[in-house]
Amino acid sequence: MLKDCDFLVVAYDKTNMAIGVIALKHHTNSKPKFMHIETILVAEEHHNRILASHMAAHLFMNVAVVLGDLPKLVSMKTYNPRSYSMMARFLPKSGTTCFMYPNIENRTNTDEAKEIAENIANELEPNLTFNHDTGVIYAASGNVADDFWPSFPNTRNNIMVVSSFYCNSSLKTSKGVFQFNTLRGRPFNRS
């Protein structure tokens, strides 16, 4: 997975121990073109801190330098409400045509958002079933153990609608389901 990525950020602590990684692949031959966050991992002792957001910000600053602009479409498969919330923090607060899919908080997804997400899901997991209403790609988790999370994570600011969406029994890793997030437009909050 990491060897095929186009961008990689590894965070180290003061002792030179790796404490986080985020990897991004640029899908330039697909329609639409998009960037996909392949993985984001943070050492357990650094959960509930800002490391993941800082790694993502550093990653996208480097993307902008290399490509001359920020990506217009970013996706990520996750079953972690913290990852969804981290992506949502990059959205501008108002005055934009950006959107996040699925829209968990008000549970409405436009036909355009569903179509874009379905195209990306088919690019990433062409042989799996995608539910465009919920953003779920069934059986996309591979060999994730049922007890991967000692206790299922909640969002840092405990946005209950987001946390409860991910804690829904049909989304748990034992069912082999991943949540699919898409940001489209100018998805990076510069304020």
Side-chain angles (χ1 to χ4, degrees):
M1 169 191 329
L2 295 180
K3 68 180 178 162
D4 295 329
C5 289
D6 298 302
F7 296 89
L8 179 71
V9 171
V10 180
Y12 296 92
D13 67 9
K14 293 176 188 174
T15 68
N16 216 23
M17 175 78 81
I19 57 171
V21 64
I22 184 170
L24 185 76
K25 182 163 179 60
H26 196 183
H27 291 259
T28 57
N29 295 324
S30 64
K31 292 194 187 218
K33 294 179 182 177
F34 65 100
M35 294 196 144
H36 181 71
I37 297 174
E38 294 286 334
T39 192
I40 182 164
L41 298 169
V42 175
E44 192 169 344
E45 62 270 16
H46 293 277
H47 287 190
N48 293 322
R49 297 187 184 165
I50 58 173
L51 180 60
S53 293
H54 280 265
M55 287 190 314
H58 186 75
L59 176 79
F60 287 112
M61 283 187 334
N62 283 301
V63 167
V65 168
V66 171
L67 299 180
D69 201 1
L70 291 167
K72 292 176 178 55
L73 187 59
V74 178
S75 70
M76 174 173 58
K77 293 185 301 183
T78 186
Y79 49 87
N80 184 337
R82 289 183 188 153
S83 296
Y84 179 92
S85 294
M86 179 196 73
M87 292 282 278
R89 284 196 295 276
F90 285 103
L91 285 174
K93 300 296 181 223
S94 62
T96 180
T97 59
C98 291
F99 63 82
M100 188 158 175
Y101 172 89
N103 188 333
I104 292 172
E105 294 187 52
N106 67 17
R107 299 184 189 251
T108 58
N109 297 299
T110 66
D111 289 341
E112 176 191 19
K114 290 177 185 179
E115 181 180 345
I116 290 170
E118 188 159 3
N119 289 338
I120 292 173
N122 288 333
E123 170 75 16
L124 297 174
E125 302 288 356
N127 299 317
L128 299 179
T129 302
F130 176 69
N131 180 329
H132 62 77
D133 291 320
T134 61
V136 171
I137 304 173
Y138 295 95
S141 64
N143 296 322
V144 177
D146 289 349
D147 61 352
F148 181 77
W149 298 106
S151 62
F152 200 77
N154 284 318
T155 58
R156 183 169 37 167
N157 51 1
N158 207 20
I159 301 170
M160 292 313 296
V161 68
V162 173
S163 292
S164 65
F165 180 86
Y166 281 91
C167 287
N168 179 317
S169 62
S170 67
L171 296 175
K172 299 246 178 161
T173 58
S174 62
K175 301 287 186 192
V177 179
F178 264 58
Q179 183 61 36
F180 182 80
N181 301 318
T182 300
L183 292 172
R184 179 176 174 264
R186 281 271 173 232
F188 299 92
N189 189 351
R190 294 180 177 159
S191 56

